[in-house]
Amino acid sequence: MNIGIVCYPTFGGSGVVATELAKGLANRGHNLHILSYARPARLDAFRTDITFHEVDLSSYPLFEYPPYDLALANVMVNLIKYEKLDVLHVHYAIPHATSAFLAKQILGEQGKDVAVITTLHGTDITLIGSDPSYKDVVDFSINKSDGVTAVSEYLKEETYKKFDIKKDIEVIPNFIDLDRFKRSNKGHFKKAICPEDEKVVTHVSNFREVKNVPDVISTFDRILKNGIEAKLLMVGDGPDRQRAENRCRELKICDKVRFLGKQEQVEEVLSMSDLFLIPSGSETFGLAALEAMSCGVPVVSSNIGGLPEVNIHGETGYLCELGDVESMGECSTKILKDEKLHKTMSKAARKRAEYFEMDRVVGIYEDYYNTILAQL
Ligand code: GMT
């Protein structure tokens, strides 16, 4: 098949999933095109079966906000026409699903055999999409897609609750490359960061408000107060980094916390981690938690959104009430104090991650494409 994948290029779940899916589909012999305004972070090596198309935004004095959705639709039209796309798979509804609809309209008869698949990832539904400034357009664009998928049961239900959707939504979960995200020996890093063999607690995110990063610091403070010798590694960057750093200063624990900024090889940090914290206020799946679990790291998370579909309470870690840093601190301490429990949870976390094995889920997407194509 000739497949176009549209995504946001930034560090963040939907772009990562879209790019890894493109690689997985290419490995199965398909010809892939990725469309975005910049090269996605995970598209790191040259491949003959994946072509990147940068959506160029010409500046013009009249355009205070250049119309990205139109430029994207234009690239889609060209690819459908000249690269003979069979499937156009857009990740994140806004504005990708709308541009895809427009491209198909422009092509008329010529575009009728292309299946437009929209994958809903999260904030396109839970936060921004349902904002009145976008809602009608998002509603329309989802309903006009030939196929719609969501990354969790939770997101599927939220979409039906928040929008007037007449289509069936197929749940296809996110996935993980078990060979890349596995525990490897990073003893030299660990020694450099924890010379006293302290426990390593880790958080990875884009530090947006929804991630509740200051709660990571407060939870870690509880762990220290419970007498655990530990270091906290904060991976990523974003608007709330300052708030998190301030919380460290208020609690006077800056010497125990390292802000590592954005990292490409997250698996290396996860490989020396003993515990992963994800206290998010909204999370449709929690890919970061799955990456940690795949590296055998137990997870303490909030019990919201799709997180309970990934992190199993009492098995792969613990789920706590949103904002309850006390309970998150106690659960974390329990795991870090008890070697046996830690080992059991670490094993269970990796086992749970195996359910989301990449090739299996890529195969589900491939079957879904065929089903939708057969219905056109
Ligand atoms: O979480 C983010 O800030 C990025 C966001 C995105 O759309 O790129 O992530 C969403 O999609 C991921 C991949 O499907 C999910 O793992 C995340 O849970 C989801 N984030 C939220 O719902 C906040």
Side-chain angles (χ1 to χ4, degrees):
M1 275 187 255
N2 291 322
I3 303 165
I5 300 250
V6 185
C7 66
Y8 283 104
T10 40
F11 283 81
S14 60
V16 168
V17 170
T19 313
E20 295 296 341
L21 175 61
K23 291 183 196 169
L25 288 164
N27 291 345
R28 286 173 168 247
H30 301 292
N31 194 26
L32 270 293
H33 297 269
I34 299 187
L35 294 71
S36 194
Y37 56 78
R39 196 178 175 86
R42 285 275 176 103
L43 192 60
D44 40 11
F46 168 72
R47 293 184 62 143
T48 52
D49 45 10
I50 304 181
T51 312
F52 173 59
H53 303 263
E54 186 166 320
V55 179
D56 191 25
L57 283 178
S58 331
S59 65
Y60 182 63
L62 211 59
F63 294 161
E64 194 180 349
Y65 308 104
Y68 178 68
D69 28 10
L70 301 188
L72 176 60
N74 209 68
V75 178
M76 289 172 169
V77 166
N78 278 296
L79 285 182
I80 295 170
K81 249 200 225 168
Y82 302 118
E83 300 292 342
K84 309 273 177 260
L85 293 189
D86 301 293
V87 171
L88 182 57
H89 186 176
V90 304
H91 291 257
Y92 213 87
I94 312 170
H96 303 157
T98 316
S99 300
F101 169 75
L102 180 59
K104 256 188 119 160
Q105 285 296 107
I106 292 169
L107 285 163
E109 266 300 292
Q110 251 185 310
K112 72 173 190 354
D113 295 332
V114 183
V116 170
I117 315 274
T118 298
T119 289
L120 309 171
H121 278 275
T123 45
D124 47 351
I125 298 303
T126 53
L127 299 177
I128 313 161
S130 42
D131 183 303
S133 4
Y134 297 108
K135 189 183 169 300
D136 291 338
V137 178
V138 175
D139 241 339
F140 177 84
S141 310
I142 293 176
N143 280 318
K144 286 292 177 187
S145 300
D146 299 302
V148 184
T149 79
V151 298
S152 61
E153 290 292 340
Y154 161 80
L155 183 56
K156 173 178 169 175
E157 292 316 315
E158 272 308 278
T159 309
Y160 283 130
K161 262 191 236 159
K162 290 201 154 96
F163 296 88
D164 185 16
I165 300 301
K166 294 172 183 74
K167 298 203 88 75
D168 282 341
I169 300 178
E170 183 81 7
V171 174
I172 305 184
N174 288 330
F175 52 85
I176 189 85
D177 179 345
L178 294 168
D179 287 332
R180 175 175 173 177
F181 287 89
K182 65 171 184 239
R183 217 163 173 90
S184 59
N185 188 357
K186 294 288 159 211
H188 51 297
F189 284 161
K190 165 109 201 233
K191 193 132 198 70
I193 289 178
C194 302
E196 307 301 326
D197 202 27
E198 300 95 322
K199 300 286 182 199
V200 178
V201 180
T202 302
H203 170 77
V204 182
S205 78
N206 48 21
F207 288 49
R208 287 192 298 153
E209 198 183 341
V210 77
K211 303 291 174 184
N212 285 337
V213 258
D215 280 5
V216 175
I217 311 292
S218 301
T219 301
F220 180 66
D221 183 55
R222 306 247 155 199
I223 296 172
L224 294 176
K225 291 215 163 85
N226 282 337
I228 306 278
E229 290 295 330
K231 288 273 171 73
L232 172 63
L233 302 181
M234 299 288 284
V235 180
D237 213 330
D240 263 5
R241 177 164 172 172
Q242 197 62 50
R243 279 180 66 213
E245 289 186 0
N246 288 345
R247 182 69 56 93
C248 291
R249 287 183 202 112
E250 282 157 28
L251 295 168
K252 300 192 176 31
I253 55 171
C254 296
D255 57 325
K256 308 273 185 206
V257 184
R258 292 279 297 267
F259 285 83
L260 301 178
K262 288 178 184 167
Q263 297 287 329
E264 298 273 353
Q265 308 305 123
V266 187
E267 65 276 19
E268 297 195 346
V269 182
L270 292 171
S271 276
M272 57 173 175
S273 302
D274 298 297
L275 181 74
F276 189 80
L277 295 177
I278 174 164
S280 304
S282 171
E283 206 69 70
T284 57
F285 183 87
L287 189 62
L290 179 59
E291 291 180 344
M293 287 162 59
S294 187
C295 292
V297 187
V299 171
V300 170
S301 69
S302 45
N303 62 358
I304 51 88
L307 281 169
E309 292 173 50
V310 180
N311 183 23
I312 310 299
H313 185 68
E315 220 175 274
T316 61
Y318 291 108
L319 294 151
C320 303
E321 288 298 317
L322 178 60
D324 188 352
V325 289
E326 195 162 318
S327 146
M328 283 191 267
E330 291 313 311
C331 287
S332 302
T333 305
K334 192 169 164 185
I335 299 173
L336 293 172
K337 253 190 178 158
D338 183 343
E339 287 265 322
K340 202 166 152 230
L341 177 67
H342 184 272
K343 206 168 170 193
T344 309
M345 285 193 159
S346 165
K347 266 199 184 150
R350 171 70 187 187
K351 185 103 198 87
R352 177 77 186 137
E354 284 167 11
Y355 171 76
F356 299 96
E357 193 267 321
M358 178 170 172
D359 199 48
R360 183 182 80 82
V361 180
V362 172
I364 299 176
Y365 271 114
E366 194 181 41
D367 291 346
Y368 185 69
Y369 291 171
N370 283 319
T371 305
I372 298 298
L373 280 167
Q375 289 169 1
L376 287 184

